[in-house]
Amino acid sequence: MPEYKAPLRDIKFVTEEVLDINNHYANLAGAEEATPDMVAAILEEGAKFAERVLSPLNRIGDEQGCTFKDGEVTTPEGFKEAYQQYVEGGWPSLSHEESVGGQGLPESLGMMVTEMIATSNWSWSMYPGLSHGAMNTLEQHGTDEQKQTYLTKLVTGEWTGTMCLTEPHCGTDLGMLKTKAEPNSDGSYAISGTKIFISAGEHDMADNIVHIVLARLPDAPAGTKGISLFIVPKFNVNETGDVADRNAVSCGSIEHKMGIHGNATCVMNFDGAKGFLIGPPNRGLNCMFTFMNTARLGTALQGLAHAEWAYQNSVVYAKDRLQMRALSGAKSPDKAADPIIVHPDVRRMLLTQRAFAEGGRALIHYSSLLVDKTTKGSDEEKAEAEELLSLLTPIAKAFLTETGFESANQGLQVFGGHGFIAEWGMEQNVRDSRISMLYEGTTGIQALDLLGRKVLMTQGATLRRFTKIIHKFCKEHKGDKRFKGYINALSKLNSEWGDVTLKIGMKAMKNKEEVGAASFDYCMYSGYVVLAYFWARMAVTAQVKLDEGSSEQGFYTAKLQTATFYYERILPRTRGHVETMLSGADNLLAMEEDNFLFLG
Amino acid sequence: MPEYKAPLRDIKFVTEEVLDINNHYANLAGAEEATPDMVAAILEEGAKFAERVLSPLNRIGDEQGCTFKDGEVTTPEGFKEAYQQYVEGGWPSLSHEESVGGQGLPESLGMMVTEMIATSNWSWSMYPGLSHGAMNTLEQHGTDEQKQTYLTKLVTGEWTGTMCLTEPHCGTDLGMLKTKAEPNSDGSYAISGTKIFISAGEHDMADNIVHIVLARLPDAPAGTKGISLFIVPKFNVNETGDVADRNAVSCGSIEHKMGIHGNATCVMNFDGAKGFLIGPPNRGLNCMFTFMNTARLGTALQGLAHAEWAYQNSVVYAKDRLQMRALSGAKSPDKAADPIIVHPDVRRMLLTQRAFAEGGRALIHYSSLLVDKTTKGSDEEKAEAEELLSLLTPIAKAFLTETGFESANQGLQVFGGHGFIAEWGMEQNVRDSRISMLYEGTTGIQALDLLGRKVLMTQGATLRRFTKIIHKFCKEHKGDKRFKGYINALSKLNSEWGDVTLKIGMKAMKNKEEVGAASFDYCMYSGYVVLAYFWARMAVTAQVKLDEGSSEQGFYTAKLQTATFYYERILPRTRGHVETMLSGADNLLAMEEDNFLFLG
């Protein structure tokens, strides 16, 4: 019953009209082929694939889930065939280097396609999603030979990849990692240990699986500085580059979990499996950061995905479901009752989803233009883009997944009791979205990364890089009466952001625990400010279009109305966050551990 | 792995020390038997039943769910046997009239037992919970003969009951109800129609099921004024009061749903089933209100239940799980890492759950003392209690279920990735809790009931009844330096509550839609203020005990610390709600229906 339609008009609005992507591509090295026509054609094909192939498999994926038998995982009906179509369509190679068989198109164009694929069927999208992470890691840190052997097969999609980090006793705290890598005489390593929560660790969709694995060399220093990165293929690869005998890595079981049933979450056992070092010894975590940033942005996208999906489906229901009359009198007197979209509280729930989905879309694609610059920009552009991304990634990951889950729940709530029933699909969307606040670093970890590492450790320099951009935008539009409401509010928030940072920084000098005590509220606050910036930009673009006499009056008017909703009904949440983040660590730390529970 | 321990110490704190229940019982007509010893003995037995019998069945209920075959429902393994023990223990009769076989103990004592049963296994608790609603309806509106025939069997627990309101096209909007009741020649009625979402509509735990059904008489006026209430037994009852032939009511299917898998949510088909009118014709909805208030308070309890359950289990995990060092230096240097309870952000999540669970407990039991007074108080007490309950019921239902769901999610979040995995039980708690914001009137409906019907339609009189109580409490403790922080803040909030009500009332006189536009934020705001009142009361009680030199220093200190946490880190949320609720209806109503989606 639920379905996905690719929001092509909105993607165009954000990327072309607001972010001026055509100009961006025109000035980006190696992006010559990303002409407006080419972009449009790719998006249209991607939309078809998402709508026609993946969206119909979303419910099936949840209902059937993955099955595990004798070390093998069977994916839900249709998943394998969809993957074949994906490979035949050349999608895996879209934004990878031509030297390894890629199409060399910008990462940001890949992100637009990924948005559609991810929203139509998140569980399915994780298989190519993990591959993409593995590919980026190999692209940056692999030797030519490793690229030739593994990357070329990942780029065609014949093989898929995974990232093996977590172990039973450590997720966040990778310094505790135990998996061992002992040198073999032939220059390879014997990898032994157990990894858990390995998404797409085993499945039936591709001929081989390339695991990127964190492990310790025998003489490695303790903690995070003694971790190295390895390639461990499911099947060893022979000299002609073909799949040979089975390597000593196997799936021990798959998890029974709340959602994303269509994706296999595997326990992976490495029993002296043959592996190959990527990058320098003991620098695995640094190499992994490449992947982690991409992965975190990819998970941020999950927030947008579930918000968009919830919004589309709950609007359709709200227009259709008849229940009660509007308080100011019947709006559809010819019907037995009014459609529930007339009720202000239903609209509140719909517009909350819309504000987060469309605001999130702007943040995601803005960030992915920065990603383009980190690989293809000038040195100066690269440095700026990296700094901005280091700030925006934890915000996007934490804030968009928290608001994505909220939106998924609002979408369910619009359906009333029916929202709780599986066949309507809204509860699956909630369950699937719940993981996004946990993996790739929980919300708490993102918040600590943002406030501790990104903001305070740079003495606010990284933050100022972004607040200057907001400041410049506000200055440009300050005199314009049409934007007064947005610009005044945004301006104030922007200075307040600096002020609260300074206050927390001062406190933290006396007591480091103040960072952890303020971080969550600081991160959410930052997210609201960032989205306020994008909503102001979207409002300016829309207003200009309207004033130019655009024929799409409804489209642009709705943008302005959503911006107003965001400023008047969402931004007030910042008030609570400011008060809370400045309330100090004592109210959290005072309680003795023994006094948390008194249960006889 | 997860388990429930009855928080007897905390129930005692709230009921005896804060709410002075012993004095309440001493002054309550017919509550002579509820002596402190008797209460303690009952609670201890209830705790054992919840911990030993029901808690172990909670996971099983989720895993196995109910199965439907040939019109019959099989409940999960152990559910039936647990119900037998419940019946043998005399629990169903606890708070029902002695004239029908009950023990005649106060409703509030029943609520304390119900809290434990509900928290240990919500799905199971719904079977007796629905019976309790049916019993209350019959007690108040049934004829002596009906009571003799049906109520006595419900009170022993031999039979169970249901409430059949919702139909496929109407849940909130009962005026659209279609089920028909046509008079038979013998004075009974033939009931025909389809009801959905009937909890415990069919199961294998009792000999008969007594459905309380809303239907329309042939000549009934349209809308809510033409609805009557009927008893429709699953099996007809013969002259000796025993189960006879099957009535024409049957279960058509059960729903596949997000949570509460252990409870059967049934489609019930009435095919000319024999029914008996309860109360006067066309006054069914009024009779039903009796049930609805009890049911709403019962659902409010669900919020407390999932918050308490989440809190207990996430504290245990947070003390056990080792991950990272405290920012201010290692707290357990002898271990591989510190237990995560040292991290301020983990404590933020734990204390949020605690503040809502224990604050919710105070609100629930305060309300249930009011329920005692509505049936057994003097006329004056009755009138006051009814007015207070009419205000507090929608607040408790909406606010405690919203914060219960938040708490369930915080509990899951403490577990990191493990929280998403079924075996830890935290995700079940989230799924089970999600329904509470939907049934018995969604959060939006409660909010509208609160602001529209309870507050504005009484010109604020009902609200003033409660704000006066807060005012009096603040006045009593105003001079006391020990409580300055709480009392100042509470006092301000209490006047602000009146102020914002007036402002919205003024707006609503111009545009009725302003009520619906403000209602959600108004309701949440009200909930935060109500809990602030109870946290201040709990803080006062705890401080007095400490000053008296109580030996339970840890217990009472933790109460003060939780109160401070609530005031400093939860109450700031009210700032956003005030600003939002006063932002007007335009930002919700401006958008044209056609402009919500542009999907090609």
Side-chain angles (χ1 to χ4, degrees), chain A residues 153-390:
Chain A
K153 298 290 176 109
L154 289 164
V155 165
T156 60
E158 286 166 87
W159 300 353
T160 66
T162 78
M163 307 302 301
C164 300
L165 289 74
T166 302
E167 298 181 4
H169 60 289
C170 70
T172 297
D173 197 352
L174 288 173
M176 294 166 78
L177 198 120
K178 288 179 185 163
T179 298
K180 278 189 255 177
E182 306 205 66
N184 294 325
S185 55
D186 64 355
S188 69
Y189 294 82
I191 313 289
S192 301
T194 301
K195 297 285 179 178
I196 63 167
F197 297 166
I198 308 309
S199 301
E202 176 61 33
H203 59 77
D204 55 2
M205 286 159 59
D207 297 337
N208 201 1
I209 301 176
V210 181
H211 304 288
I212 309 287
V213 184
L214 288 181
R216 283 187 189 285
L217 292 168
D219 53 353
T224 53
K225 289 176 183 164
I227 298 173
S228 306
L229 196 59
F230 299 87
I231 299 171
V232 183
K234 174 178 169 184
F235 288 99
N236 291 310
V237 181
N238 65 22
E239 282 167 16
T240 59
D242 294 317
V243 158
D245 57 321
R246 184 69 190 254
N247 201 354
V249 48
S250 60
C251 176
S253 62
I254 61 173
E255 306 287 353
H256 295 100
K257 52 198 196 295
M258 185 180 192
I260 56 165
H261 293 161
N263 198 275
T265 305
C266 304
V267 173
M268 297 303 298
N269 299 317
F270 295 83
D271 302 306
K274 193 178 253 196
F276 306 92
L277 185 69
I278 315 176
N282 301 328
R283 303 283 294 163
L285 223 49
N286 299 64
C287 296
M288 199 55 129
F289 277 137
T290 315
F291 161 72
M292 282 208 263
N293 274 328
T294 330
R296 285 178 176 181
L297 215 53
T299 312
L301 173 66
Q302 193 181 355
L304 155 58
H306 294 295
E308 172 70 27
W309 198 95
Y311 181 63
Q312 290 192 11
N313 286 285
S314 59
V315 167
V316 170
Y317 188 80
K319 285 181 174 184
D320 185 58
R321 173 77 173 173
L322 306 177
Q323 208 79 173
M324 309 297 283
R325 292 294 181 190
L327 289 179
S328 53
K331 304 291 176 208
S332 303
D334 51 319
K335 292 179 180 160
D338 288 334
I340 61 173
I341 200 169
V342 307
H343 305 306
D345 195 59
V346 170
R347 288 172 162 248
R348 175 186 65 78
M349 296 189 277
L350 295 175
L351 291 172
T352 301
Q353 299 169 60
R354 178 172 191 161
F356 288 134
E358 296 179 6
R361 178 169 295 123
L363 171 54
I364 287 288
H365 294 299
Y366 177 86
S367 301
S368 83
L369 297 199
L370 294 174
V371 172
D372 286 348
K373 289 184 188 167
T374 62
T375 52
K376 294 177 180 171
S378 65
D379 284 355
E380 198 190 329
E381 282 174 335
K382 202 173 160 170
E384 186 186 7
E386 273 171 1
E387 192 171 19
L388 284 171
L389 267 181
S390 79

Side-chain angles (χ1 to χ4, degrees), chain A residues 344-345 347-349 351 565 569, chain B residues 516-518 584-591 596:
Chain A
D345 195 59
R347 288 172 162 248
R348 175 186 65 78
M349 296 189 277
L351 291 172
F565 170 85
R569 287 192 172 256
Chain B
D586 284 353
N587 52 30
L588 296 174
L589 296 176
M591 196 176 288
F596 273 78

Side-chain angles (χ1 to χ4, degrees), chain A residues 94-159:
Chain A
L94 193 71
S95 59
H96 291 282
E97 286 175 16
E98 285 165 311
S99 63
V100 289
Q103 299 176 55
L105 287 161
E107 181 78 17
S108 59
L109 179 53
M111 186 58 115
M112 290 185 242
V113 173
T114 304
E115 185 203 313
M116 298 187 286
I117 287 177
T119 310
S120 64
N121 190 332
W122 180 262
S123 291
W124 186 92
S125 78
M126 287 177 71
Y127 295 98
L130 268 295
S131 281
H132 189 64
M135 285 190 260
N136 285 349
T137 307
L138 286 170
E139 219 157 66
Q140 292 221 13
H141 304 289
T143 62
D144 283 346
E145 199 195 324
Q146 288 170 344
K147 287 185 189 178
Q148 200 48 49
T149 309
Y150 301 100
L151 189 52
T152 53
K153 298 290 176 109
L154 289 164
V155 165
T156 60
E158 286 166 87
W159 300 353

